[in-house]
Amino acid sequence: MSDLILYTNPMSRGRIARWALEEVGARYEVRVMNYADTMKGDDYLAINPMGKVPAIAHNGKVITECAAICAYLGDAFPDAGLAPALADRADYYRWLFFAAGPVEAAVTNNTAGFVPSADQRRTFGYGSYDQAIDVLEQAVSARDYVAGDAFTMADVYVGSQVIWGTQFGSIPKRDAFAAYAERLTSRDACKRASELDDALMETNQLA
């Protein structure tokens, strides 16, 4: 058994974890899960009781949730230089978990057609969809990367939200988002990850 396993489906957020793995340059095994059966089977539910992908197993330890996977890999493979020094992680953590929390919730609710009332906004971590998107735009336009001048694992997660959101219409196409996405999608690891997942889709290796 491999020391590092990716459980994924190319038509899922597993593409985020694949990109993160390609960035760290580690050897890993891929196990493609099918939505109809293997993802809900007992063997996989023992790994992720939510029955969703992605998940990774590294030296017998299981990590789920894309933001957690990105943060974990940044720490587990320090030679890749994708996590800032501990003293410099304020923006790294801030924007990684802003995207995983307020942005994810705002985008999901907006896509589902749910718009909180003015009173409800007080209890929602994202306030309003427009507010969350405006703050996200500020984060990706302040510098080349969200945690500073260097690319980090925070950019894998935040960037994935921006790339997919603007592609599928859940995030508006603004100049700042387009420029940020272009910087990220030009990376070799990002291209390689996309090619690998696209190949899985083309060959119908989804079971």
Side-chain angles (χ1 to χ4, degrees):
M1 179 180 292
S2 173
D3 291 337
L4 183 54
I5 302 170
L6 168 65
Y7 298 88
T8 188
N9 183 293
M11 299 175 65
S12 75
R13 289 177 175 83
R15 296 178 80 103
I16 301 174
R18 166 89 80 172
W19 179 11
L21 285 163
E22 290 298 318
E23 287 286 353
V24 299
R27 294 173 61 90
Y28 61 95
E29 175 185 340
V30 177
R31 297 189 184 176
V32 181
M33 312 303 292
N34 185 287
Y35 284 101
D37 43 57
T38 55
M39 211 178 289
K40 307 301 181 184
D42 290 343
D43 288 346
Y44 186 66
L45 290 176
I47 294 167
N48 186 357
M50 291 293 290
K52 294 182 178 294
V53 292
I56 65 170
H58 183 220
N59 294 326
K61 299 176 181 177
V62 172
I63 305 94
T64 63
E65 315 315 316
C66 289
I69 290 171
C70 288
Y72 176 87
L73 290 173
D75 286 343
F77 297 92
D79 289 347
L82 295 170
L86 288 175
D88 299 323
R89 291 195 183 184
D91 285 343
Y92 176 75
Y93 287 135
R94 177 186 183 183
W95 298 117
L96 177 61
F97 294 109
F98 174 73
V103 172
E104 173 81 11
V107 168
T108 301
N109 283 350
N110 190 66
T111 301
F114 175 75
V115 179
S117 67
D119 287 339
Q120 288 174 323
R121 290 175 188 172
R122 299 175 183 176
T123 62
F124 281 67
Y126 62 85
S128 71
Y129 171 81
D130 289 340
Q131 182 181 9
I133 296 301
D134 287 346
V135 173
L136 178 63
E137 181 181 18
Q138 294 169 22
V140 304
S141 59
R143 297 165 296 194
D144 284 348
Y145 303 104
V146 295
D149 296 327
F151 177 90
T152 67
M153 277 296 181
D155 293 294
V156 173
Y157 189 80
V158 177
S160 293
Q161 294 274 32
V162 170
I163 293 165
W164 292 355
T166 54
Q167 180 179 353
F168 294 106
S170 59
I171 290 177
K173 293 183 177 180
R174 299 180 181 177
D175 290 345
F177 292 147
Y180 179 57
E182 185 176 356
R183 284 194 292 277
L184 302 187
T185 54
S186 66
R187 294 181 63 82
D188 288 342
C190 184
K191 293 177 183 178
R192 192 163 55 247
S194 292
E195 290 169 357
L196 289 167
D197 278 325
D198 289 347
L200 279 179
M201 293 175 64
E202 291 172 3
T203 55
N204 296 315
Q205 295 179 26
L206 305 181

